[in-house]
Every structure is written in C-alpha cells, then in structure tokens.
Amino acid sequence: MDDSKVLDDFYQKLSEKFPYVTSGSWEKLREISIVKYLEKDDIFLRHGERLQFGVFVVTGWLKLYYLDEKGDERISAFCGGLEYIDNWNSIHQQQALPYSVSAIASSTIILYPLEKMVKIFSKEPDLLQLCVDLSQEMIRKKQEHYEILTLRSPEERYLHLLASKKNWLQEISLTNLAKFLHVSREALSRARNQVSLK
C-alpha cells in the first residue's frame, strides 16, 4: 500500500474516533505526517534516547518495555491500531526515554516531528482537545496496568485480560503477555489452562 493510501485510510478512521477535529486540522497534521513501516522485532526507539516524534500506530502492535533490576524485560504498555505514544517529559523537559519501543508484529506507524506538531496544536483549539484526550488515554492505560499488577495471582491477572482485553489474547504472544503481567511464561500458561478447565 502506498503512503498516500495509508494516510487516507488512517485519517478517515481517526476522524471517526475524534469527530470534533475539523478536516482543516487533520490536513495540517497530514502535511507533517511521515509513514514508517516496521517488521516484527524492529526496535524503533531505545532506552535513553530522546523522543523526536509523536507516534500513532496505524496497524500492528508496538510494545514499550524496560529491563528491571534483575535484567528481565518488563512490558509497560502495548499500542495497537489508532493508539498514540509520546513522552511528555521527553518533549518538554528534554529528558531521555525511560523505555524502549519495538514492534511485536509487522506494523505501520505515523510519525509527527514534535516541534512542528506542538506549533500546530498550539494554534488549533480542536487539536488542543485532541492532545488532552490522547494524554488521558495514555494515563488510563498506565492506571489499568497498575491495577492489573495489584492482582496477586497469575490466574487473576489472566482473568482480567480475558474480561477487558480479549483481542490481546489472540494477537499478542503468551511470552509478551507474561512480560506485561510480570509473571513467568510458564505461570501464565498454567493460569490459562486452569481458566480453560473451569
């Protein structure tokens, strides 16, 4: 699919998700859009780098991850279609990223150079509202993850995903789900089998 078609389809879907944004504002964003294609396991950003772009996922899946004190990979978030990533501290305080970002499936993403993006957003009230909504979405994801990690057993954590993120169970590998739930792959596999037996 050529970049123009990717952008056409993406902005059509985005305008349905955020109907209050005007076509003129979408067009301003489209003008600075950069389409990028990632293969599975491609690393897009590394821990310690500075984020130069706002990122929307068009198709596929990205994971945000870090290494814990034992050197084990922990996933702090997954981002699928029409979800947005940035890092407020990285943008406004020039801080390095506290995580890495890589693709867990073949993915198409759209990059927005942050300096240009901030200028456009600051002049358009509808895009300011979009900025608020995207920030709240990212905060909500962090809160949901924290709530999952307060559940004690792998089975409780798996049941939470089953109730609220069923599509993840089909689209994301058990290994990556285990890293998100902060349990071993074996423990998660046992929990899944126990749930299926009930």
Side-chain angles (χ1 to χ4, degrees):
M1 192 182 291
D2 70 280
D3 290 0
S4 182
K5 179 77 166 79
V6 168
L7 291 171
D8 286 346
D9 291 350
F10 171 69
Y11 282 110
Q12 176 61 40
K13 289 175 183 169
L14 214 54
S15 65
E16 291 166 8
K17 185 175 180 181
F18 302 105
Y20 56 82
V21 178
T22 67
S23 56
S25 291
W26 288 133
E27 189 53 41
K28 287 176 182 174
L29 282 181
R30 181 180 175 130
E31 286 169 9
I32 63 166
S33 299
I34 302 165
V35 180
K36 185 172 179 64
Y37 303 94
L38 301 172
E39 294 303 319
K40 184 181 177 186
D41 298 326
D42 281 357
I43 297 174
F44 171 59
L45 289 165
R46 293 182 188 277
H47 174 271
E49 292 181 346
R50 285 188 180 156
L51 186 63
Q52 306 293 332
F53 301 95
V55 183
F56 257 114
V57 178
V58 181
T59 59
W61 288 93
L62 302 184
K63 66 177 178 181
L64 282 61
Y65 64 98
Y66 61 95
L67 299 181
D68 68 12
E69 61 280 356
K70 294 178 183 175
D72 294 327
E73 182 182 301
R74 298 295 189 195
I75 295 174
S76 55
F78 295 113
C79 291
L82 300 187
E83 290 187 316
Y84 179 77
I85 311 167
D86 71 19
N87 184 278
W88 195 253
N89 289 335
S90 196
I91 299 167
H92 296 280
Q93 297 169 25
Q94 292 300 300
Q95 291 182 7
L97 282 175
Y99 51 76
S100 299
V101 181
S102 70
I104 59 172
S106 293
S107 303
T108 304
I109 61 176
I110 292 180
L111 311 179
Y112 300 95
L114 281 173
E115 285 186 18
K116 293 179 181 176
M117 188 179 181
V118 168
K119 280 180 189 172
I120 292 170
F121 271 57
S122 66
K123 294 174 184 171
E124 306 295 339
D126 55 338
L127 291 179
L128 277 176
Q129 183 59 50
L130 177 64
C131 186
V132 169
D133 289 346
L134 293 174
S135 297
Q136 287 177 340
E137 212 171 81
M138 287 186 285
I139 290 166
R140 190 164 54 249
K141 284 174 75 171
K142 282 183 184 174
Q143 288 172 333
E144 284 173 4
H145 191 216
Y146 175 75
E147 284 168 18
I148 288 171
L149 297 183
T150 63
L151 300 172
R152 292 187 179 178
S153 72
E155 189 173 333
E156 287 177 313
R157 294 180 185 186
Y158 179 78
L159 283 168
H160 190 286
L161 286 190
L162 195 59
S164 62
K165 304 286 184 188
K166 206 164 186 176
N167 64 310
W168 287 16
L169 304 179
Q170 276 104 44
E171 298 179 44
I172 297 173
S173 73
L174 200 65
T175 299
N176 280 320
L177 289 173
K179 291 173 181 177
F180 178 78
L181 297 176
H182 293 201
V183 300
S184 71
R185 189 187 186 286
E186 293 73 22
L188 184 57
S189 182
R190 280 196 301 274
R192 182 181 63 178
N193 292 339
Q194 286 166 352
V195 168
S196 66
L197 289 171
K198 289 180 179 178

